[in-house]
């Protein structure tokens, strides 16, 4: 008997496993490996959130189950955040749902809206969980090709007639892995496309508060009527350095949110109340914590960007996220270049094809180590042999 279901057997192997094995071998030999591969913040969660969590954890009432759709305090904080940040009206009773992290919510969205054989437009390159989530429900992945020629904005007009029939369009700005950012006109175009082609839209705003300079990342809910055909996912993981806390939300279209809530009520019972209450406090705050995080990432980004530029490595200077998306030099493939950096410089980066075929020819560098380590990275890059034939 083969105990494992086909749907799980078909999950593509985790591309990074091989790399992690090489890293372990090097670390075992005493190498000082610097990991710029993992897309998770290195900075601490705000101390005020930790205090709120401990305070709430001491209350017996908070040890009960949360309501399925999440506690009122958190849903109201999300609605207030949307009003303050985007001037968007959200009904905390029907248009917000607490998630145990947005990854879980995105995967469950596919189960909520996609029947077998129905199509989903997935960014390529894009966050790998999207693709897997579509396959797990036997949906059909249609590539939404993104490239430098259009600043990684979707070319919706150029899609094939078949791809335009997709039931769902996934977007993610500021973007992982490309660090691309957009203005609200991209969302206006997406909503117009959705109306015309009867396509629903899900926007993943995981990096919405990691923004540099004067740039302010828009929300799709700023577009008039967006709630008729869109939802937006958000998370405290990156903005507030709370990745392990597992707290996120989805806002927007009532019908989809209520259906997702119905599905979830059969799978989980929302997040631990003290975590929801601490997250509510974070969203209700003056947002100085994400601003300070952005300042730190921006400083790291500038230092590394300038050094890459000196070394002849091409990248777009990002206006947000925790990543640099760097063109691989010369004749290297993404994998070969990542291998070169690991072997010669003991630096781990993510090969671009990990995020889809269109990521080939790029690497993603996460800005998730302190500035002194970035300086070490730069010193090591300067000594890498084989990069000169750019
Ligand atoms: C990190 C990340 C997520 C997942 O965040 P969680 O809320 O921690 O599950 C979702 N989307 C993108 C693009 C991410 O980079």
């Amino acid at each position: 008997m083969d105990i494992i279901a086909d749907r799980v057997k078909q999950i593509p192997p985790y591309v990074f496993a091989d790399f992690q094995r090489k890293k372990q071998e090097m670390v075992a030999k005493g190498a000082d490996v610097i990991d710029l591969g993992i897309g998770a913040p290195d900075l601490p969660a705000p101390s005020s959130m930790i205090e709120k969590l401990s305070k709430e954890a001491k209350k017996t009432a908070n040890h009960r189950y949360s309501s399925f759709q999440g506690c009122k305090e958190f849903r109201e904080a999300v609605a207030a955040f949307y009003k303050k940040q985007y001037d968007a009206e959200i009904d905390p009773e029907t248009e917000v749902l607490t998630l145990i992290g947005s990854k879980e919510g995105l995967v469950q969205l596919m189960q909520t809206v996609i029947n077998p054989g129905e199509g989903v437009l997935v960014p390529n390159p894009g966050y790998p969980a999207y693709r897997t989530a579509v396959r797990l429900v036997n949906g059909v992945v249609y590539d939404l090709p993104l490239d430098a020629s259009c600043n990684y904005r979707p070319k919706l007009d150029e899609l094939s007639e078949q791809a335009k029939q997709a039931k769902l369009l996934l977007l993610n700005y500021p973007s992982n892995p490309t660090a691309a950012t957009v203005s609200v006109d991209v969302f206006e175009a997406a909503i117009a496309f959705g109306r015309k082609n009867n396509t629903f839209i899900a926007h993943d705003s995981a990096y919405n508060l990691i923004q540099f300079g004067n740039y302010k990342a828009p929300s799709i809910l700023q577009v008039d009527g967006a709630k008729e055909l869109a939802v937006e996912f958000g998370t405290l993981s990156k903005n507030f350095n709370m990745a392990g806390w597992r707290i996120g939300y989805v806002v927007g279209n009532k019908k989809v949110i209520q259906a997702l809530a119905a599905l979830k009520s059969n799978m989980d019972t929302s997040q631990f109340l003290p975590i929801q209450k601490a997250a509510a406090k974070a969203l209700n705050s003056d947002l100085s914590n994400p601003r300070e995080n952005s300042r730190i990432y921006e400083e790291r980004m500038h230092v590394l960007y300038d050094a890459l530029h000196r070394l002849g490595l091409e990248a777009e200077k990002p206006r947000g996220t925790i990543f640099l998306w760097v063109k691989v030099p010369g004749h290297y493939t993404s994998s070969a270049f990542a291998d070169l950096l690991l072997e010669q410089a003991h630096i781990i980066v993510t090969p671009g094809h990990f995020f889809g075929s269109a990521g080939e020819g790029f690497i993603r560098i996460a800005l998730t180590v302190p500035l002194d380590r970035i300086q070490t990275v730069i010193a090591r890059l300067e000594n890498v042999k084989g990069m000169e034939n750019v």
Side-chain angles (χ1 to χ4, degrees):
M1 180 184 64
D2 189 352
I3 186 66
I4 307 303
D6 296 342
R7 96 174 61 82
V8 171
K9 275 193 284 187
Q10 53 135 24
I11 294 175
Y14 186 49
V15 180
F16 230 52
D18 195 37
F19 250 64
Q20 288 302 329
R21 187 183 45 75
K22 281 188 201 161
K23 175 185 172 180
Q24 293 315 325
E25 281 169 20
M26 285 191 161
V27 170
K29 282 187 213 147
D32 172 26
V33 177
I34 304 181
D35 196 340
L36 307 176
I38 294 168
D42 59 311
L43 301 162
S47 54
S48 53
M49 301 320 139
I50 299 168
E51 277 157 30
K52 176 76 173 166
L53 174 69
S54 350
K55 195 171 136 212
E56 295 297 333
K58 286 179 187 133
K59 298 180 188 164
T60 306
N62 285 339
H63 292 234
R64 300 186 191 134
Y65 285 125
S66 162
S67 67
F68 288 120
Q69 77 266 42
C71 79
K72 200 173 161 74
E73 216 167 311
F74 181 67
R75 285 181 285 114
E76 282 176 350
V78 173
F81 168 76
Y82 266 79
K83 180 69 190 158
K84 193 169 58 172
Q85 188 72 6
Y86 306 115
D87 199 25
E89 306 287 344
I90 306 280
D91 175 7
E93 289 304 322
T94 56
E95 295 174 335
V96 186
L97 179 63
T98 298
L99 300 175
I100 306 172
S102 59
K103 185 193 227 170
E104 177 233 44
L106 283 155
V107 173
Q108 289 173 337
L109 175 73
M110 298 307 154
Q111 303 185 24
T112 304
V113 303
I114 299 302
N115 293 308
E118 289 180 333
V120 183
L121 279 158
V122 177
N124 181 6
Y127 185 57
Y130 303 148
R131 241 156 240 278
T132 313
V134 177
R135 296 210 180 104
L136 282 174
V137 296
N138 292 316
V140 178
V141 172
Y142 288 109
D143 269 331
L144 181 68
L146 304 172
D147 61 55
S149 75
C150 59
N151 292 317
Y152 297 94
R153 291 175 172 85
K155 289 178 273 193
L156 296 169
D157 298 337
E158 294 176 23
L159 292 171
S160 70
E161 285 311 310
Q162 205 185 13
K164 283 182 186 168
Q165 304 294 312
K167 191 179 196 181
L168 178 69
L169 164 65
L170 287 176
L171 295 174
N172 163 225
Y173 296 102
S175 157
N176 177 12
T178 66
T181 50
V182 294
S183 46
V184 76
D185 61 304
V186 165
F187 295 141
E188 282 162 359
I191 294 289
F193 172 89
R195 283 229 165 81
K196 183 157 172 242
N197 297 285
N198 211 7
T199 306
F200 194 85
I201 300 155
H203 177 238
D204 176 1
S205 73
Y207 298 91
N208 58 351
L209 297 178
I210 307 292
Q211 45 200 356
F212 308 152
N214 295 325
Y215 178 68
K216 194 171 172 217
S219 158
I220 199 165
L221 295 189
Q222 283 169 258
V223 180
D224 278 344
K227 282 195 286 192
E228 289 158 28
L229 69 167
V231 288
E232 186 161 79
F233 288 80
T235 174
L236 283 85
S237 292
K238 318 294 164 59
N239 295 333
F240 292 92
N241 304 322
M242 288 160 65
W245 293 47
R246 310 311 303 134
I247 181 79
Y249 54 81
V250 56
V251 297
N253 185 269
K254 209 179 279 189
K255 192 170 169 187
V256 166
I257 286 184
Q258 295 315 309
L260 181 55
L263 175 82
K264 279 176 63 60
S265 71
N266 288 282
M267 293 187 156
D268 60 61
T269 312
S270 200
Q271 183 50 282
F272 185 40
L273 285 164
I275 291 180
Q276 293 192 60
K277 289 180 180 180
K281 187 176 159 111
L283 288 175
N284 282 328
S285 74
D286 62 4
L287 305 181
S288 55
N289 184 263
R291 261 198 305 282
E292 174 61 9
N293 293 335
S294 297
R295 194 194 60 73
I296 293 169
Y297 290 122
E298 184 176 6
E299 187 178 25
R300 294 172 180 176
M301 184 276 292
H302 279 299
V303 170
L304 188 55
Y305 175 88
D306 289 347
L308 295 176
H309 189 70
R310 268 200 317 277
L311 289 163
L313 292 171
E314 282 177 50
E316 282 295 324
K317 196 177 257 195
R319 294 188 295 178
T321 78
I322 61 175
F323 306 114
L324 275 170
W325 182 242
V326 182
K327 206 163 181 303
V328 160
H331 55 272
Y332 291 105
T333 62
S334 297
S335 274
F337 190 60
D339 274 339
L340 181 84
L341 296 183
L342 180 58
E343 275 152 31
Q344 285 196 34
H346 299 167
I347 295 165
I348 294 191
V349 299
T350 313
H353 67 82
F354 181 47
F355 305 100
S357 55
E360 180 51 51
F362 291 84
I363 54 165
R364 188 193 74 179
I365 302 183
L367 301 160
T368 47
V369 295
L371 214 45
D372 62 318
R373 293 294 270 171
I374 299 240
Q375 296 294 2
T376 308
V377 166
I378 294 167
R380 291 186 193 175
L381 287 176
E382 282 165 353
N383 290 315
V384 171
K385 289 182 194 64
M387 231 155 57
E388 51 278 1
N389 48 8
V390 174

